[in-house]
Amino acid sequence: MSPVTQPTELPQPGREEIRIEQVLAALGDPVRLLYVRQLAEAPPEGLACGSVPLPVTKSTRTHHLRILREAGVISMRAVGTRRIATLRRDDLNALYPGLLDGVLGAPH
Amino acid sequence: MSPVTQPTELPQPGREEIRIEQVLAALGDPVRLLYVRQLAEAPPEGLACGSVPLPVTKSTRTHHLRILREAGVISMRAVGTRRIATLRRDDLNALYPGLLDGVLGAPH
């Protein structure tokens, strides 16, 4: 019987540690915003990080995901060799009501 | 009689040219956000750019104001030798409803 793999959450700021400047800077990049838009339309259980098509190399993708995670915009958990990302919608809406909707609904 | 000085608006993107990534990146800096917070509480006619206390040198201040202006976050007009800044609240609220309030109301 193979061992059961528990999901492990990667380090991230608690809600009280999230800072607006960092959230805005994390969102203020075309590649990261594209990623966040796709996560926003994903099911609540999230998306495998590698499954979102992004016009960047794997190491650049890893860099962008780390910035989003450390800013408190996304959560990432390791499930075996996969990384699953989810948008921290509840935390962002609680701290900054309207911000995420304003960003996701942006016409340009 | 001294000549009448007409206010001259410095170049800025029209509403249709404003891009969300640029707005977010412009706001995602502690000094620029401090400036925007103070502009948000200023009277509608705006603030003289030099009158807002910021913990930076004059050339750094000029740099930050240019980023805000080119992103479409603030307008600046020259009145004689002064620069008057205003927040482009109507444009931002029309494009990204909720975003500015979410940012300005941020607890941290």
Side-chain angles (χ1 to χ4, degrees):
Chain A
M1 207 171 92
S2 62
V4 175
T5 307
Q6 293 295 329
T8 308
E9 189 165 86
L10 275 63
Q12 65 178 35
R15 184 183 290 185
E16 286 309 308
E17 295 168 310
I18 295 176
R19 293 288 169 274
I20 185 69
E21 295 88 344
Q22 268 189 282
V23 169
L24 293 167
L27 293 172
D29 172 273
V31 171
R32 293 195 291 267
L33 195 53
L34 178 61
Y35 198 89
V36 167
R37 283 188 197 287
Q38 298 195 53
L39 267 191
E41 294 183 0
E45 62 268 24
L47 281 181
C49 291
S51 72
V52 177
L54 289 179
V56 293
T57 62
K58 192 179 167 197
S59 72
T60 302
R61 171 192 299 258
T62 303
H63 165 75
H64 284 310
L65 293 180
R66 187 171 53 77
I67 288 177
L68 288 169
R69 175 171 55 81
E70 290 180 351
V73 176
I74 68 172
S75 288
M76 280 175 63
R77 58 188 197 281
V79 184
T81 59
R82 299 165 75 211
R83 296 270 187 281
I84 310 290
T86 53
L87 186 57
R88 294 181 67 177
R89 201 186 281 269
D90 289 350
D91 290 322
L92 296 175
N93 285 342
L95 289 170
Y96 320 120
L99 184 142
L100 197 57
D101 287 342
V103 170
L104 295 174
H108 49 78
Chain B
M1 206 170 92
S2 61
V4 175
T5 307
Q6 294 295 328
T8 307
E9 189 164 88
L10 274 65
Q12 65 179 35
R15 184 183 289 185
E16 285 309 308
E17 295 169 309
I18 295 176
R19 292 288 170 274
I20 184 69
E21 295 89 344
Q22 269 189 280
V23 169
L24 293 167
L27 293 172
D29 173 274
V31 172
R32 294 195 291 268
L33 194 53
L34 178 61
Y35 198 89
V36 167
R37 283 187 196 285
Q38 299 195 51
L39 267 191
E41 295 184 0
E45 61 269 24
L47 281 182
C49 291
S51 72
V52 177
L54 290 180
V56 294
T57 64
K58 192 179 167 195
S59 71
T60 303
R61 171 192 299 259
T62 302
H63 165 75
H64 283 310
L65 293 179
R66 186 170 54 75
I67 288 177
L68 287 170
R69 175 170 54 81
E70 291 181 351
V73 176
I74 67 173
S75 288
M76 281 176 63
R77 58 189 198 279
V79 184
T81 58
R82 299 165 74 212
R83 296 269 187 283
I84 310 291
T86 52
L87 187 58
R88 295 182 66 177
R89 200 186 281 271
D90 289 351
D91 289 321
L92 296 175
N93 285 342
L95 289 170
Y96 319 119
L99 185 143
L100 197 56
D101 287 341
V103 170
L104 295 174
H108 49 76

